[in-house]
Amino acid sequence: MPVLELVNISKTFGTKTVVQSTNFSIQKGEVVSIIGPSGAGKSSLLRMINLLEVPSSGQIVIDSQPVEYKLNRASHLTFLSKFKLSKVRSKVGMVFQHFNLWEHKSVLDNIIEGPVNVNKKSKREAIRHAEELLARVGLLEKKDDYPGMLSGGQQQRVAITRALAMEPSVLLFDEPTSSLDPELVGEVLQMMTQLAEEGMTMIVVTHEMRFARQVSDRVLYMEEGRIVAEGTPEEIFESKDNARLNRFFSSLHG
Amino acid sequence: MNLETIAQVFPFLLKGALVTFEISILAIVVGTLLGFFLAVLRLSHNKLIRFLATAYIWVFRGVPILMVLVFIYYTPPFGITLSAFAAGLLGLSFNAAAYKAEIIRTGLLAIPKGQIEAAEAIGMTPWQILIRIRIPQIIRFILPTYISNSVALLKESAQVSVITVPDLMLNAQSQFSSTYMPYETLGVAAVLYLAMTSLLMTLQIYTERKLNLNAGRK
Ligand SMILES: Nc1ncnc2c1ncn2[C@@H]1O[C@H](COP(=O)(O)OP(=O)(O)OP(=O)(O)O)[C@@H](O)[C@H]1O
Ligand SMILES: [Mg+2]
């Protein structure tokens, strides 16, 4: 049974269609990488999963529950829908390219914010869990620091920890290493690899081909708003007969 | 310096200072609430709402406070009669709201969009995001401008003396007229003004510490 299903999802901005009637589903414990050229619609697709971007049409199903929401005339979520989506969103973790940690909160407060205020955990329990997660990635001694005092790699690992603290059904990553200095990419990829091995369900939009190839169970290749190739890493990376893929891979090396 | 005169006029001045403090703080509070509301309206998707909020700000920033005060006190609509204090408070609040709205709007715009998205993605409700993410960030960002504006408002509140609100300015003036001793009356009043504005500035330093304003900056 899929953890998450997108049925016939489309997204248009004005007259421009950036995601075209796309179907997608992911099983528990699966790791799916989404690759493709800039502007292909990878971020748009990912962001529709937790309604950061509202689909123009189609259906999202999470844990077998269709996600319900209403739009106002300006095609924004209605105020009420934003309240109702809280539950769904708490089940879907999101990691951003620019970390997006709350600058006015310490590392620990960033991590317990959701568990305490959304999942209604006791503060003590949330802190215990947060400290355990931080210790696992060697960031416990940073718990009272503010995000601005950390390196990019540390910030991203805190951001991943913040998402994990919610105990989500699925974790979404949108180019989690793209804004990092090259020497900091490794520590973040290592943490993600570890999560994948522990059985976390993950969807990763990435330009890190090595990660996509070595860690994912399945790779999707997107172009012009469509998934145009899909398969195991071997099928995608070793296929020689797909002209579009060949063009994409050679553009990476060129 | 005639200490005897000071002792004699001081109770009047102090009473006036309390009125000044009260009307200014109330105007700051009402102005901030109204200003927040206006700031949100100015960022609305609805053109008409945006226009109305912009027009309000335009008028109240562009017209002298004194004129607004006189209007409200002497020509209230619907046959209402307002006490001088109420008219003064309304006038100051309406004026303050226009300035606070602009300050708060810059704060709203300065919040990095990603931080709001992170809050939405984690499942926080719009209220939680407002209270726990937006407002603390707005405060961090606008505090210095906000306090400067509040200090200015406290000083400008002296203009309510024109519509007979018995504030520090009015009492100092009347004591001066009856004693002709400027230092003992106006001078002491100036010190009282300075004390009150200093209090606001101290509040700024305290809040900056409390909010860890510099945290997160390398
Ligand atoms: N808010 C928006 N308004 C208008 N157009 C948008 C908006 N967001 C994205 N787009 C357009 O949608 C298309 C797909 O964008 P998207 O960010 O999903 O691509 P992407 O595959 O993630 O690219 P990248 O690798 O550069 O991140 C692009 O052409 C982009 O310009
Ligand atoms: Mg993208």
Side-chain angles (χ1 to χ4, degrees):
Chain A
M1 199 180 62
V3 180
L4 166 83
E5 233 181 317
L6 303 182
V7 185
N8 244 326
I9 284 281
S10 297
K11 176 70 187 176
T12 54
F13 285 112
T15 56
K16 190 170 190 254
T17 302
V18 299
V19 175
Q20 301 193 30
S21 31
T22 294
N23 291 293
F24 170 79
S25 74
I26 183 168
Q27 303 292 325
K28 194 166 185 304
E30 207 183 358
V31 177
V32 175
S33 291
I34 304 179
I35 60 172
S38 181
K42 307 180 297 294
S43 298
S44 304
L45 183 70
L46 195 73
R47 289 161 55 83
M48 281 193 279
I49 295 172
N50 63 0
L51 277 302
L52 284 181
E53 219 71 79
V54 186
S56 306
S57 63
Q59 171 94 69
I60 302 163
V61 183
I62 293 175
D63 290 334
S64 308
Q65 296 282 336
V67 178
E68 311 270 2
Y69 56 90
K70 287 208 173 70
L71 302 183
N72 60 23
R73 269 193 295 164
S75 301
H76 294 280
L77 291 169
T78 62
F79 198 60
L80 197 62
S81 294
K82 287 187 182 174
F83 276 93
K84 290 188 174 160
L85 283 174
S86 169
K87 184 96 180 103
V88 169
R89 285 170 159 173
S90 71
K91 294 268 109 212
V92 180
M94 178 101 182
V95 175
F96 301 87
Q97 181 176 350
H98 299 287
F99 334 129
N100 298 354
L101 293 172
W102 299 302
E103 286 165 22
H104 63 298
K105 290 179 184 291
S106 69
V107 164
L108 189 69
D109 286 340
N110 263 278
I111 298 171
I112 67 171
E113 180 70 23
V116 170
N117 295 291
V118 179
N119 288 352
K120 309 292 177 200
K121 257 196 192 178
S122 75
K123 194 163 177 186
R124 180 201 288 216
E125 172 55 22
I127 290 176
R128 195 199 57 71
H129 188 213
E131 289 183 343
E132 185 188 308
L133 291 171
L134 281 172
R136 239 196 276 169
V137 287
L139 287 172
L140 188 54
E141 75 272 28
K142 301 283 182 198
K143 71 182 164 109
D144 296 320
D145 284 4
Y146 283 81
M149 297 148 78
L150 305 179
S151 75
Q154 290 169 333
Q155 287 193 52
Q156 192 60 301
R157 288 188 290 144
V158 170
I160 297 172
T161 306
R162 172 174 70 176
L164 285 175
M166 294 295 287
E167 298 173 328
S169 313
V170 53
L171 258 188
L172 315 179
F173 296 81
D174 193 357
E175 298 194 23
T177 58
S178 292
S179 60
L180 296 177
D181 293 337
E183 72 273 16
L184 300 176
V185 168
E187 62 189 69
V188 171
L189 289 182
Q190 192 196 338
M191 183 177 179
M192 291 168 63
T193 307
Q194 169 109 34
L195 283 176
E197 280 164 4
E198 286 166 6
M200 176 55 76
T201 313
M202 295 162 56
I203 306 175
V204 186
V205 171
T206 186
H207 290 303
E208 291 291 333
M209 293 305 140
R210 181 119 59 100
F211 177 87
R213 187 171 190 157
Q214 293 176 350
V215 182
S216 18
D217 301 303
R218 187 152 53 101
V219 179
L220 307 185
Y221 173 72
M222 274 188 88
E223 205 178 288
E224 292 172 350
R226 295 176 193 277
I227 299 171
V228 294
E230 174 174 2
T232 63
E234 292 73 38
E235 285 166 349
I236 295 294
F237 288 97
E238 263 125 65
S239 89
K240 294 283 172 264
D241 46 350
N242 187 322
R244 295 176 134 174
L245 275 177
N246 288 341
R247 207 177 321 125
F248 174 64
F249 288 132
S250 59
S251 78
L252 291 180
H253 303 124
Chain B
M1 269 289 174
N2 185 332
L3 288 179
E4 213 170 299
T5 314
I6 292 182
Q8 198 189 331
V9 303
F10 196 70
F12 294 100
L13 297 183
L14 200 60
K15 222 167 132 195
L18 283 177
V19 171
T20 290
F21 196 68
E22 199 181 338
I23 204 166
S24 304
I25 297 299
L26 284 174
I28 290 169
V29 171
V30 177
T32 302
L33 293 175
L34 197 57
F36 187 85
F37 192 61
L38 282 167
V40 172
L41 295 187
R42 266 207 74 171
L43 299 171
S44 159
H45 295 292
N46 184 311
K47 254 191 190 155
L48 180 68
I49 290 177
R50 220 162 49 217
F51 171 78
L52 290 176
T54 311
Y56 177 99
I57 293 167
W58 174 62
V59 169
F60 280 92
R61 285 212 305 177
V63 169
I65 292 193
L66 197 53
M67 192 159 267
V68 176
L69 289 169
V70 171
F71 252 106
I72 295 178
Y73 187 48
Y74 294 106
T75 64
F78 316 122
I80 308 166
T81 45
L82 289 171
S83 69
F85 186 88
L89 176 58
L90 273 183
L92 289 182
S93 301
F94 287 160
N95 180 270
Y99 286 93
K100 299 297 189 202
E102 285 300 274
I103 294 171
I104 292 169
R105 189 173 65 100
T106 56
L108 280 169
L109 292 174
I111 304 173
K113 198 162 159 266
Q115 303 214 9
I116 304 302
E117 287 190 343
E120 287 175 341
I122 225 159
M124 291 171 79
T125 63
W127 285 122
Q128 288 175 326
I129 295 175
L130 179 70
I131 303 291
R132 307 191 54 83
I133 309 294
R134 280 186 206 270
I135 290 180
Q137 300 253 38
I138 293 173
I139 293 176
R140 270 165 56 105
F141 188 77
I142 70 174
L143 194 70
T145 332
Y146 180 88
I147 300 277
S148 304
N149 174 264
S150 300
V151 168
L153 188 144
L154 193 143
K155 289 185 296 176
E156 281 167 15
S157 78
Q159 303 192 50
V160 299
S161 61
V162 174
I163 58 165
T164 72
V165 177
D167 75 335
L168 180 53
M169 186 67 210
L170 188 79
N171 285 9
Q173 243 174 343
S174 72
Q175 292 305 317
F176 170 62
S177 326
S178 58
T179 60
Y180 284 102
M181 292 176 146
Y183 294 105
E184 289 78 354
T185 56
L186 298 174
V188 172
V191 171
L192 286 173
Y193 270 115
L194 204 53
M196 288 189 283
T197 49
S198 305
L199 193 67
L200 284 179
M201 295 181 214
T202 313
L203 187 71
Q204 174 179 354
I205 295 167
Y206 171 80
T207 323
E208 279 182 7
R209 289 235 179 94
K210 180 102 187 159
L211 284 175
N212 240 314
L213 206 65
N214 300 316
R217 305 267 174 278
K218 267 194 207 174

